[in-house]
Amino acid sequence: MMRTLSTQFRSIKHPRPNPNPKLSKSSSPTKSEIKFNVKPKSEPESESWCVYLLLSTNHPIKTYVGITNNFPRRLKQHNGELNGGAKASRAGRPWICACIVCGFPDRSEASIFESKWKAISRRAPRKSENDRLSKQSEDPSLPLLRHRQAALKKVKASLDCTHLEIIWHLDPF
């Protein structure tokens, strides 16, 4: 039994009749009939890329590092006001901006910085339990912010960050 390709492989489509009889295969559409939704490559993006540090305001207090080229929109996504927030950030809602690093020319450079910041944060030792017990009256977010700030200093020492602007919205000290 012989089957046609389109029944065997559903991704292959039969050619459909032309819905616009005015445009035959021999005539091509004019420039006014073609609409482009893509920005020309020579036009720069409206905003540069940034790496951000968020702090949860719900228990358990935690931090989140991410990248974006539109921070206000991304923060709304993390807080559930818009679709598209990261799954890892759902439990800490609402989130506030603790730090933002601006000035990355492209997504690639921002991704490298973000990855390095996360990796150094994971590897860096946390303060001992004795230090935590002695500072029980301290805001529980401060040790987390200090830990991320220490990791950020190591990232700055390992990469060229002269073109970046680092803005802390929450002072870890």
Side-chain angles (χ1 to χ4, degrees), residues 56-62 90-94 140:
S56 64
T57 56
N58 256 340
H59 187 73
I61 304 296
K62 55 187 178 177
R90 288 185 189 155
R93 291 176 180 165

Side-chain angles (χ1 to χ4, degrees), residues 1 13 16 23 26 28 31 34 49 56-57 62 71 95 97 113 115 138 151 160 168 172:
M1 181 167 127
K13 307 288 185 208
R16 294 185 180 188
L23 290 177
S26 60
S28 59
K31 285 186 179 180
I34 300 173
W49 287 86
S56 64
T57 56
K62 55 187 178 177
F71 182 73
W95 294 87
C97 180
F113 189 95
S115 178
E138 183 179 84
D160 176 23
W168 280 93

Side-chain angles (χ1 to χ4, degrees), residues 7 13 15-16 20 47 58 66 70 76 92-93 100 115 120 124 128 131-132 137 155-156 158 169:
T7 57
K13 307 288 185 208
R16 294 185 180 188
N20 189 352
E47 297 180 31
N58 256 340
N70 185 339
K76 286 179 183 177
R93 291 176 180 165
I100 192 160
S115 178
I120 290 174
S128 69
D131 290 343
R132 278 189 235 150
S137 62
V155 173
K156 284 172 47 180
S158 67
H169 293 279

Side-chain angles (χ1 to χ4, degrees), residues 41-98:
K41 288 186 179 181
S42 60
E43 187 179 311
E45 288 188 350
S46 59
E47 297 180 31
S48 65
W49 287 86
C50 66
V51 177
Y52 57 88
L53 171 67
L54 299 180
L55 179 71
S56 64
T57 56
N58 256 340
H59 187 73
I61 304 296
K62 55 187 178 177
T63 59
Y64 178 88
V65 175
I67 67 168
T68 186
N69 64 348
N70 185 339
F71 182 73
R73 174 190 50 82
R74 191 70 178 129
L75 183 59
K76 286 179 183 177
Q77 288 176 325
H78 283 297
N79 285 328
E81 298 169 36
L82 296 174
N83 288 336
K87 186 176 181 180
S89 67
R90 288 185 189 155
R93 291 176 180 165
W95 294 87
I96 57 173
C97 180

Side-chain angles (χ1 to χ4, degrees), residues 81-161:
E81 298 169 36
L82 296 174
N83 288 336
K87 186 176 181 180
S89 67
R90 288 185 189 155
R93 291 176 180 165
W95 294 87
I96 57 173
C97 180
C99 179
I100 192 160
V101 183
C102 304
F104 295 97
D106 55 33
R107 182 183 182 135
S108 176
E109 192 175 318
S111 294
I112 291 167
F113 189 95
E114 174 204 25
S115 178
K116 197 147 189 110
W117 195 2
K118 287 178 175 180
I120 290 174
S121 294
R122 279 191 299 271
R123 288 191 305 258
R126 306 270 178 161
K127 296 291 182 188
S128 69
E129 190 65 32
N130 293 337
D131 290 343
R132 278 189 235 150
L133 293 175
S134 67
K135 298 179 180 179
Q136 281 186 346
S137 62
E138 183 179 84
D139 180 352
S141 64
L142 290 179
L144 289 170
L145 292 174
R146 288 183 189 131
H147 181 75
R148 290 288 192 174
Q149 186 180 49
L152 180 59
K153 285 181 182 178
K154 290 180 180 178
V155 173
K156 284 172 47 180
S158 67
L159 297 173
D160 176 23
C161 299

